[in-house]
Amino acid sequence: MKLKTSFKCLALKRVLAKCNRLAVGHVFRYSTQVIILGCEDGVIRVYDFPTAGSRDELKLKCTLETKGGPIQSLLLHDITKFGSIDLLVGHSGGVITIFCNEQIVNRCSFSEQSVDELQVDHDATGNLSVVVGDNGGNINAFLPYQPLWRLRLSDIPLLQSVSKQPVVTCLLAANLSSSSGNVSNYVLACDDCQRLHVLQQGSVVQTLYTHTVVTAMCSGQFLPETEAETGGPINGVTSQIALAGQDGSIYIMSHFQIYSVEYGSVHLPLTQVMTLPTSDDGEMDYLLCAGHFNSVMLYHTGKLITKYTTSDWVNSMATADVDNDGEKEVIISCLDDTIHFLKVT
């Protein structure tokens, strides 16, 4: 396999609003993919993909008033089962706004703390739940019109002796396999006390000590079995989780074990990591990293392959087939309100 070793900027666009979060998908009933920006003023702005020869600014498709505060998280998923992809918006004041076909169908208030994490958890029978993490240390699960369970990190026995109030630093819903081959759905919750909690249906299954405060996670196949010991897929389910830290280090978790050797380190705080699958079967995935630095970095099997210098810190990342060539490109938003469309070649 020929490694992708460089970034090519397909387009650099500016938006006329302070963007906090970015998502890409077939939301509502739009026939094509759109770019969704969650902004500081509480407004959702939906944009068309850029076309060749277009202006420096993205073309605005519509705006949605959330009637809430600054937007801290976005989630695209069909949770209402009304025939289209819904949009869930987490606000700084602990409120989640649910849009279906561009209309607000529900607003849920969970706490007075910022909703920074939204995940969808699927079980083996096809049931789903929306899992919410806030910076007050609360984790909630709900359906559009029904609360399911609630967990406070401070109630976990291992954290009761901690002098400060633990907060949720990141969440990830994933199907994981044990070393015996059993596969199940879990929610991984990391806190600022260097703990990773494995949750299922609101109960703590296991708590692991992490080498650093984990601030971002993603699932994929990042190391071959010879390097990750038992880290290969079992029954087709990927069991590796990339854990990105506040100190810039990256570790891999496989089969509920966090390996002691670093996968890599940028030596600056990381805030975003994302899996970029390879086009070749059996090859390891790429890992995209961003944080408190003006670039996005691309790793493969623990090695820094290339990086792209940005105009400011990256605050959100997504992937989509921008140029319709059958391969996914990278879309990033920066703190200076620019959107970069990148192809990895």
Side-chain angles (χ1 to χ4, degrees), residues 71-146:
I71 295 169
Q72 303 300 323
S73 53
L74 295 175
L75 175 65
L76 301 180
H77 204 280
D78 181 12
I79 63 165
T80 62
K81 306 300 181 182
F82 290 159
S84 64
I85 300 298
D86 306 310
L87 172 62
L88 284 76
V89 182
H91 299 274
S92 61
V95 174
I96 294 177
T97 305
I98 303 175
F99 285 92
C100 179
N101 293 325
E102 302 186 38
Q103 302 294 320
I104 295 177
V105 296
N106 198 12
R107 283 170 56 83
C108 313
S109 180
F110 291 95
S111 70
E112 296 181 355
Q113 306 297 324
S114 177
V115 176
D116 296 333
E117 300 290 334
L118 288 171
Q119 294 282 310
V120 173
D121 183 29
H122 291 267
D123 66 19
T125 61
N127 298 318
L128 63 84
S129 60
V130 180
V131 185
V132 183
D134 67 31
N135 62 12
N138 304 300
I139 303 173
N140 294 267
F142 75 101
L143 291 174
Y145 303 102
Q146 177 187 359

Side-chain angles (χ1 to χ4, degrees), residues 253-269:
M253 185 181 85
S254 180
H255 301 296
F256 305 98
Q257 294 182 15
I258 301 174
Y259 292 94
S260 58
V261 178
E262 283 185 351
Y263 175 86
S265 180
V266 302
H267 306 291
L268 289 168

Side-chain angles (χ1 to χ4, degrees), residues 283-295:
E283 291 295 340
M284 300 300 103
D285 295 325
Y286 293 95
L287 181 66
L288 284 161
C289 304
H292 293 178
F293 43 89
N294 287 33
S295 63

Side-chain angles (χ1 to χ4, degrees), residues 35-46:
I35 302 166
I36 303 103
L37 300 184
C39 301
E40 187 73 19
D41 58 4
V43 176
I44 295 291
R45 290 172 172 85
V46 181

